[in-house]
PDB file of all heavy atoms in Angstrom:
ATOM      1  N   GLY A 402     -12.946  23.796  11.780  1.00  0.00           N
ATOM      2  CA  GLY A 402     -13.406  22.441  11.453  1.00  0.00           C
ATOM      3  C   GLY A 402     -12.267  21.494  11.137  1.00  0.00           C
ATOM      4  O   GLY A 402     -12.390  20.629  10.268  1.00  0.00           O
ATOM      5  N   VAL A 403     -11.145  21.631  11.838  1.00  0.00           N
ATOM      6  CA  VAL A 403     -10.011  20.739  11.583  1.00  0.00           C
ATOM      7  C   VAL A 403      -9.181  20.618  12.856  1.00  0.00           C
ATOM      8  O   VAL A 403      -9.142  21.544  13.668  1.00  0.00           O
ATOM      9  CB  VAL A 403      -9.140  21.285  10.411  1.00  0.00           C
ATOM     10  CG1 VAL A 403      -8.444  22.582  10.752  1.00  0.00           C
ATOM     11  CG2 VAL A 403      -8.131  20.254   9.921  1.00  0.00           C
ATOM     12  N   LYS A 404      -8.568  19.457  13.008  1.00  0.00           N
ATOM     13  CA  LYS A 404      -7.747  19.228  14.199  1.00  0.00           C
ATOM     14  C   LYS A 404      -6.343  19.807  13.995  1.00  0.00           C
ATOM     15  O   LYS A 404      -5.818  19.779  12.889  1.00  0.00           O
ATOM     16  CB  LYS A 404      -7.677  17.712  14.410  1.00  0.00           C
ATOM     17  CG  LYS A 404      -6.998  17.348  15.641  1.00  0.00           C
ATOM     18  CD  LYS A 404      -7.257  15.987  16.171  1.00  0.00           C
ATOM     19  CE  LYS A 404      -6.290  15.689  17.314  1.00  0.00           C
ATOM     20  NZ  LYS A 404      -5.875  16.817  18.135  1.00  0.00           N
ATOM     21  N   ILE A 405      -5.772  20.327  15.081  1.00  0.00           N
ATOM     22  CA  ILE A 405      -4.366  20.764  15.011  1.00  0.00           C
ATOM     23  C   ILE A 405      -3.488  19.588  15.425  1.00  0.00           C
ATOM     24  O   ILE A 405      -3.599  19.080  16.552  1.00  0.00           O
ATOM     25  CB  ILE A 405      -4.115  21.969  15.953  1.00  0.00           C
ATOM     26  CG1 ILE A 405      -4.996  23.158  15.553  1.00  0.00           C
ATOM     27  CG2 ILE A 405      -2.639  22.357  15.935  1.00  0.00           C
ATOM     28  CD1 ILE A 405      -4.925  24.343  16.504  1.00  0.00           C
ATOM     29  N   GLY A 406      -2.632  19.153  14.518  1.00  0.00           N
ATOM     30  CA  GLY A 406      -1.762  18.010  14.808  1.00  0.00           C
ATOM     31  C   GLY A 406      -0.527  18.430  15.589  1.00  0.00           C
ATOM     32  O   GLY A 406      -0.137  17.782  16.553  1.00  0.00           O
ATOM     33  N   LYS A 407       0.079  19.537  15.160  1.00  0.00           N
ATOM     34  CA  LYS A 407       1.291  20.005  15.822  1.00  0.00           C
ATOM     35  C   LYS A 407       1.256  21.534  15.890  1.00  0.00           C
ATOM     36  O   LYS A 407       0.640  22.186  15.039  1.00  0.00           O
ATOM     37  CB  LYS A 407       2.537  19.569  15.055  1.00  0.00           C
ATOM     38  CG  LYS A 407       2.639  18.047  14.913  1.00  0.00           C
ATOM     39  CD  LYS A 407       4.043  17.560  15.055  1.00  0.00           C
ATOM     40  CE  LYS A 407       4.204  16.072  15.250  1.00  0.00           C
ATOM     41  NZ  LYS A 407       3.080  15.197  15.106  1.00  0.00           N
ATOM     42  N   ILE A 408       1.979  22.060  16.891  1.00  0.00           N
ATOM     43  CA  ILE A 408       1.992  23.513  17.088  1.00  0.00           C
ATOM     44  C   ILE A 408       3.435  23.993  17.112  1.00  0.00           C
ATOM     45  O   ILE A 408       4.245  23.501  17.899  1.00  0.00           O
ATOM     46  CB  ILE A 408       1.303  23.871  18.433  1.00  0.00           C
ATOM     47  CG1 ILE A 408      -0.142  23.339  18.428  1.00  0.00           C
ATOM     48  CG2 ILE A 408       1.336  25.384  18.672  1.00  0.00           C
ATOM     49  CD1 ILE A 408      -0.846  23.474  19.768  1.00  0.00           C
ATOM     50  N   GLY A 409       3.751  24.945  16.226  1.00  0.00           N
ATOM     51  CA  GLY A 409       5.106  25.516  16.188  1.00  0.00           C
ATOM     52  C   GLY A 409       5.242  26.565  17.275  1.00  0.00           C
ATOM     53  O   GLY A 409       4.419  27.481  17.383  1.00  0.00           O
ATOM     54  N   ILE A 410       6.302  26.436  18.102  1.00  0.00           N
ATOM     55  CA  ILE A 410       6.482  27.396  19.203  1.00  0.00           C
ATOM     56  C   ILE A 410       7.837  28.095  19.127  1.00  0.00           C
ATOM     57  O   ILE A 410       8.296  28.687  20.102  1.00  0.00           O
ATOM     58  CB  ILE A 410       6.298  26.705  20.582  1.00  0.00           C
ATOM     59  CG1 ILE A 410       7.191  25.448  20.658  1.00  0.00           C
ATOM     60  CG2 ILE A 410       4.843  26.358  20.831  1.00  0.00           C
ATOM     61  CD1 ILE A 410       7.314  24.865  22.052  1.00  0.00           C
ATOM     62  N   GLY A 411       8.490  28.021  17.963  1.00  0.00           N
ATOM     63  CA  GLY A 411       9.786  28.689  17.790  1.00  0.00           C
ATOM     64  C   GLY A 411      10.343  28.347  16.420  1.00  0.00           C
ATOM     65  O   GLY A 411       9.815  27.462  15.744  1.00  0.00           O
ATOM     66  N   PRO A 412      11.413  29.042  16.003  1.00  0.00           N
ATOM     67  CA  PRO A 412      11.888  28.859  14.632  1.00  0.00           C
ATOM     68  C   PRO A 412      12.700  27.586  14.373  1.00  0.00           C
ATOM     69  O   PRO A 412      12.795  27.140  13.249  1.00  0.00           O
ATOM     70  CB  PRO A 412      12.776  30.088  14.405  1.00  0.00           C
ATOM     71  CG  PRO A 412      13.212  30.521  15.760  1.00  0.00           C
ATOM     72  CD  PRO A 412      12.148  30.091  16.718  1.00  0.00           C
ATOM     73  N   ARG A 413      13.287  27.004  15.430  1.00  0.00           N
ATOM     74  CA  ARG A 413      14.179  25.871  15.186  1.00  0.00           C
ATOM     75  C   ARG A 413      13.366  24.627  14.852  1.00  0.00           C
ATOM     76  O   ARG A 413      12.203  24.506  15.264  1.00  0.00           O
ATOM     77  CB  ARG A 413      15.043  25.625  16.420  1.00  0.00           C
ATOM     78  CG  ARG A 413      15.974  26.793  16.737  1.00  0.00           C
ATOM     79  CD  ARG A 413      16.646  26.565  18.052  1.00  0.00           C
ATOM     80  NE  ARG A 413      15.697  26.156  19.087  1.00  0.00           N
ATOM     81  CZ  ARG A 413      16.011  25.523  20.206  1.00  0.00           C
ATOM     82  NH1 ARG A 413      17.251  25.235  20.476  1.00  0.00           N
ATOM     83  NH2 ARG A 413      15.081  25.195  21.094  1.00  0.00           N
ATOM     84  N   PRO A 414      13.961  23.674  14.118  1.00  0.00           N
ATOM     85  CA  PRO A 414      13.213  22.490  13.695  1.00  0.00           C
ATOM     86  C   PRO A 414      12.553  21.764  14.871  1.00  0.00           C
ATOM     87  O   PRO A 414      11.461  21.235  14.748  1.00  0.00           O
ATOM     88  CB  PRO A 414      14.273  21.596  13.057  1.00  0.00           C
ATOM     89  CG  PRO A 414      15.426  22.469  12.733  1.00  0.00           C
ATOM     90  CD  PRO A 414      15.359  23.655  13.641  1.00  0.00           C
TER      91      PRO A 414
END
Side-chain angles (χ1 to χ4, degrees):
V403 67
K404 186 160 170 32
I405 299 174
K407 301 219 166 9
I408 302 172
I410 52 168
R413 296 172 313 159

